[in-house]
Amino acid sequence: MSVVQAVMEIPAAHQLNVFGQFDKNIKKVERTLSVTLIMRGDQLKIIGNESTVQQAQTIIEELIGMSKRGNQISEQNVDYVL
């Protein structure tokens, strides 16, 4: 398996909600999918094998959508999306 990377944008207004306190939500995604997530400004770089990078993108897009709808993202929400 080759290592790939993808870059996606997370609006600044939703970063704290998506990442969670002390980045706990994003760390859970990293551990579960064995990917590396690096945030620079509003750009999130996802590094891993092709299938897990795609899964991570889908999960993060879902979390952003939840945040945009006004939901406070909890650990339970992250577990459900995973």
Side-chain angles (χ1 to χ4, degrees):
M1 288 186 199
S2 63
V3 175
V4 298
Q5 65 180 16
V7 177
M8 61 188 302
E9 186 174 319
I10 300 180
H14 300 284
Q15 288 177 8
L16 181 59
N17 194 17
V18 170
F19 274 66
Q21 187 175 18
F22 305 115
D23 298 341
K24 70 177 180 179
N25 297 341
I26 287 300
K27 288 177 183 177
K28 186 168 211 156
V29 173
E30 282 184 310
R31 282 191 312 271
T32 303
L33 298 178
S34 298
V35 293
T36 301
L37 302 171
I38 302 169
M39 191 72 189
R40 294 285 183 258
D42 63 350
Q43 301 291 313
L44 178 67
K45 185 184 289 189
I46 306 167
I47 303 168
N49 69 52
E50 190 172 350
S51 64
T52 57
V53 166
Q54 289 174 349
Q55 286 178 306
Q57 279 184 293
T58 302
I59 289 164
I60 293 165
E61 286 169 358
E62 181 66 31
L63 294 174
I64 292 169
M66 291 172 71
S67 182
K68 286 181 177 179
R69 290 188 297 272
N71 296 317
Q72 183 64 35
I73 297 173
S74 67
E75 188 171 354
Q76 183 179 7
N77 297 128
V78 177
D79 289 340
Y80 176 77
V81 174
L82 281 168

